[in-house]
Amino acid sequence: MAADARYPAIERHGLIGDLHTAALIDDAGSVSWLCLPAFDSPSLFGALLDADRGGRWRVGPAGGGRGTQRYLPDTNVLETTFGDDGGGTLTVVDFMPVAGARGRFPELHRVVSCQGAAATVAVRFAPHFDYATRPARWQRRGDGWLAADEEDDVVTLVGPPGVAWTSDATGVTGELRMEPGQRVAFVMRFDDDEVLRLTDYETDRKLAATVAWWTAWARRSRYRGPYDAAVRRSLLALKLCCYDPTGATVAAPTTSLPEVPGGERNWDYRFAWLRDSAFVLFALDRSGYTEEVDAFTHFVKRLCRRADGPHVQTMYRIDGSRDMPEVELGHLEGYGGARPVRIGNGAAHQYQLDVYGELLETLYARHRHSPPTEGLWRALRLLVEWTAAHWREPDWSIWEARQEPRHFTFSKIMAWTALDRGARMADALGHQADASAWRVQARAIRTEVMERAWDAGRGTFVQAYDTRDLDAATLVAPKVGFLDRSDPRVRTMVAAIRRELGTPHDELIHRYRGDDGLAGTEGAFVICSFWMVQAITGYGDVAEATRLFEKLLARASPLGLLGEEIDPASGAHLGNFPQAFSHAALVNTAYGLARVRRGAAAPAAPGAGARSAAETES
């Protein structure tokens, strides 16, 4: 994507992680993004956002060059293979120990193997603390190095005997001549000031345990169908976005990757958006990963107990705290020169009505099979009551425009969803008074939306009351049951959105085209493109839905990862990467196609009661 060769295309990166944080590694062997000890901590390696100042850790051939990346099957262990001019091949296996293999200190292991002929591996280890604001002091220790900053953050690097090391003001460099069949490891450990012998890090044991853990986790997926590889890779990517200590999920593990090349649409996504989390947990739940849903449920309960003022924020830090002031880091040049680089997110305090619907939809799907506890029901009841009391207010809605709030159609549809799911749960739990009152409000929303947001001339919902702009987010109307899937209005809406928000590549859809208060023309939105497939699937055009879905799958990176947006002209991925809700949408779309193909739940007849995705697809 970027013209500057110092910034590899976003889709040329793989992701590894330990369920506390995650690292991006490009196909030249550089760890170019890693925040420690957690997703939303300051970066240690930040070359992704400033190739010169940000810091990186490269392991690869001494002559440089790009390798070929793949994941070990059904894992988040990354393998990069490099050819060598002398006929040798170097393979680098990267992983972060997870679960029982993860100790007190975060670690990243890089295992190098040589095949074919002798080759020289080169290492450049240049951690730059706190978004490259605090220089490191270097000390040679035992089998490796220790780097410490002025705040006493420390990181250690250990390597095999025989490496020829040198150091400078910004890092250390090493080279090792490897013979065919030789295998060595380099290990980084954060927050530990002891540099031990390489054997003390037990790389082989931790690699085996990490591979076994990921393999066992991936094979628990309930999806069975023609897209098994894509679904499993998406589920594995979603799991990498989960923060194990609290049950939170991040929208993406990166900040400030631009939605417009060289532009200002650069946001920090390393937080727990309740909406995005709901999408992710819906996909994980239907795939059999109930532990993740239960952990997130506890996260939501804690948030509700602490709530003051507006009942829930749009997003939270992954520890559940609220403060994430938006700050610009002027010393970093940004990916490919895209400024500003931002940390924190000012949208945290926007009122976004739709969040309540996404939460209730996901928790309703889960707790149809596992009834909510009294404590959870109290929390959910507060969410529904808040929706009933505030749905008439304007909001900023799903796309978080930096403008004045409006009456967004998507938000009203999701407010209806919150009230509908709340009423269904109240019925099941014997709270008929609540159910009756919430259904009255749900009917009022439906009446208002059909009167004020339906454009009969074009046969579609508009983005907001009193506008003509369209919004692809309204494609969720049949998914949540606001419209019957086979309602003729779904077909006309699909046609209008494809006509007005489509691209020359018919599988790609823009989310909207109107003014949103920011400069630049963004790419096609991945989640909206999957929502289009879901809507077409819902009314039964399986051939067309399959065609579009398979074209979207072909847009994934070589490792099967997806960004937030795709440039229709170049195919480049845009925005933070990988994007959790893009992968959640892929999983949910695959399930929808499977459901229709097996005929388990045919679309409802016109005029029949609408059924939600939670009822027909989970």
Side-chain angles (χ1 to χ4, degrees):
M1 181 190 77
D4 190 335
R6 297 176 303 150
Y7 294 94
I10 290 170
E11 59 270 24
R12 283 172 47 196
H13 293 81
L15 187 73
I16 64 172
D18 63 359
L19 309 183
H20 291 68
T21 189
L24 280 180
I25 303 173
D26 67 31
D27 58 6
S30 283
V31 180
S32 58
W33 183 253
L34 175 60
C35 300
L36 285 166
F39 290 106
D40 56 358
S41 300
S43 65
L44 183 70
F45 300 115
L48 192 67
L49 298 181
D50 194 310
D52 297 327
R53 300 181 187 90
R56 70 175 72 242
W57 180 16
R58 179 183 177 270
V59 175
R66 293 168 55 181
T68 300
Q69 292 182 309
R70 74 176 187 114
Y71 283 110
L72 300 189
D74 289 337
T75 76
N76 281 313
V77 175
L78 183 66
E79 179 185 271
T80 308
T81 302
F82 300 91
D84 182 86
D85 291 342
T89 299
L90 289 175
T91 300
V92 182
V93 173
D94 292 312
F95 74 98
M96 297 182 75
V98 294
R102 188 185 191 274
R104 174 184 171 192
F105 303 108
E107 295 178 351
L108 197 163
H109 295 242
R110 314 199 69 182
V111 183
V112 187
S113 302
C114 179
Q115 300 89 29
T120 300
V121 61
V123 179
R124 175 62 179 171
F125 186 73
H128 293 180
F129 292 95
D130 195 8
Y131 304 109
T133 62
R134 300 202 300 258
R137 304 184 305 274
W138 292 93
Q139 300 177 27
R140 187 77 164 92
R141 294 273 191 93
D143 290 341
W145 294 85
L146 180 146
D149 71 359
E150 60 193 17
E151 300 294 327
D152 286 331
D153 283 335
V154 295
V155 63
T156 59
L157 172 69
V158 65
V163 177
W165 291 108
T166 59
S167 65
D168 56 39
T170 60
V172 297
T173 301
E175 287 195 354
L176 177 68
R177 187 67 173 173
M178 295 183 64
E179 298 300 321
Q182 187 177 0
R183 183 173 176 274
V184 300
F186 299 87
V187 183
M188 181 202 77
R189 179 180 280 180
F190 182 77
D191 203 30
D192 182 12
D193 62 1
E194 293 294 331
V195 181
L196 308 174
R197 295 171 302 168
L198 183 60
T199 53
D200 293 323
Y201 291 84
E202 301 183 284
T203 292
D204 288 341
R205 180 187 68 80
K206 291 175 181 177
L207 175 58
T210 298
V211 168
W213 191 91
W214 281 119
T215 301
W217 189 90
R219 292 178 181 174
R220 285 167 46 202
S221 169
R222 291 196 305 216
Y223 177 82
R224 299 292 182 272
Y227 309 114
D228 187 67
V231 168
R232 283 201 194 186
R233 178 49 50 200
S234 288
L235 291 169
L236 285 161
L238 294 178
K239 183 60 174 173
L240 279 177
C241 292
C242 293
Y243 183 60
D244 194 58
T246 66
T249 65
V250 294
T254 57
T255 180
S256 298
L257 290 180
E259 298 171 15
V260 178
E264 66 177 86
R265 296 171 181 260
N266 316 320
W267 313 107
D268 193 346
Y269 277 16
R270 298 170 299 152
F271 306 116
W273 268 257
L274 295 186
R275 171 195 309 109
D276 298 48
S277 298
F279 293 150
V280 168
L281 274 300
F282 193 95
L284 289 174
D285 183 44
R286 71 196 315 177
S287 300
Y289 297 104
T290 57
E291 292 177 3
E292 287 77 5
V293 183
D294 291 341
F296 175 70
T297 300
H298 288 297
F299 181 70
V300 171
K301 283 171 60 179
R302 291 193 299 273
L303 299 181
C304 290
R305 283 200 300 268
R306 296 184 212 161
D308 56 351
H311 196 270
V312 291
Q313 284 190 178
T314 303
M315 71 190 84
Y316 293 82
R317 299 191 76 93
I318 53 178
D319 65 0
S321 59
R322 289 173 170 266
D323 293 334
M324 55 199 82
E326 188 170 294
V327 177
E328 295 183 4
L329 301 182
H331 66 287
L332 298 178
E333 72 173 358
Y335 175 82
R339 282 193 168 106
V341 171
R342 294 182 174 97
I343 58 172
N345 200 302
H349 300 292
Q350 289 185 352
Y351 169 49
Q352 297 179 17
L353 176 64
D354 64 288
V355 168
Y356 298 85
E358 283 113 9
L359 281 175
L360 268 295
E361 170 77 343
T362 293
L363 297 177
Y364 170 68
R366 172 76 184 109
H367 293 289
R368 283 191 311 117
H369 308 294
S370 175
T373 63
E374 181 180 354
L376 178 58
W377 171 246
R378 286 177 180 271
L380 297 183
R381 187 177 186 277
L382 289 173
L383 296 177
V384 185
E385 288 288 2
W386 177 269
T387 307
H390 294 274
W391 68 264
R392 292 178 177 82
E393 299 170 10
D395 77 323
W396 280 272
S397 199
I398 184 173
W399 305 131
E400 300 173 350
R402 299 292 172 111
Q403 295 176 311
E404 292 298 310
R406 293 191 288 170
H407 290 283
F408 284 97
T409 305
F410 175 77
S411 291
K412 306 302 185 188
I413 291 172
M414 295 313 297
W416 174 91
T417 303
L419 291 160
D420 177 80
R421 304 309 186 261
R424 292 170 191 249
M425 282 193 279
D427 276 340
L429 296 170
H431 299 285
Q432 275 72 37
D434 285 338
S436 177
W438 295 338
R439 285 198 170 94
V440 169
Q441 293 295 317
R443 286 194 293 271
I445 295 174
R446 181 190 290 277
T447 297
E448 181 176 289
V449 168
M450 298 313 299
E451 288 177 353
R452 299 192 60 186
W454 182 259
D455 184 332
R458 289 186 291 169
T460 187
F461 289 116
V462 292
Q463 183 179 49
Y465 296 171
D466 306 318
T467 71
R468 285 185 56 81
D469 293 334
L470 300 191
D471 187 339
T474 60
L475 287 165
V476 305
K479 178 179 181 294
V480 300
F482 190 84
L483 294 177
D484 288 347
R485 294 172 187 271
S486 61
D487 188 317
R489 289 175 292 194
V490 176
R491 289 180 179 267
T492 62
M493 177 176 64
V494 164
I497 290 175
R498 294 183 79 174
R499 182 173 63 249
E500 298 189 32
L501 299 181
T503 71
H505 305 276
D506 60 356
E507 77 277 16
L508 296 177
I509 300 293
H510 290 283
R511 54 180 174 172
Y512 53 76
R513 291 189 186 275
D515 177 39
D516 60 5
L518 295 165
T521 302
E522 54 184 26
F525 228 73
V526 173
I527 191 173
C528 296
S529 302
F530 282 118
W531 283 344
M532 175 63 73
V533 178
Q534 292 175 20
I536 293 171
T537 301
Y539 60 64
D541 191 345
V542 179
E544 176 66 355
T546 299
R547 184 182 72 84
L548 295 176
F549 184 60
E550 292 179 353
K551 290 182 72 174
L552 283 171
L553 294 184
R555 294 282 186 174
S557 79
L559 289 170
L561 302 178
L562 291 164
E564 184 178 25
E565 301 178 18
I566 292 174
D567 183 339
S570 68
H573 288 235
L574 303 170
N576 286 302
F577 182 87
Q579 186 80 14
F581 67 28
S582 296
H583 284 283
L586 185 156
V587 173
N588 291 330
T589 306
Y591 274 102
L593 281 167
R595 171 186 56 81
V596 172
R597 283 172 171 162
R598 67 175 177 261
R611 300 170 70 188
S612 74
E615 293 177 299
T616 60
E617 296 177 5
S618 65

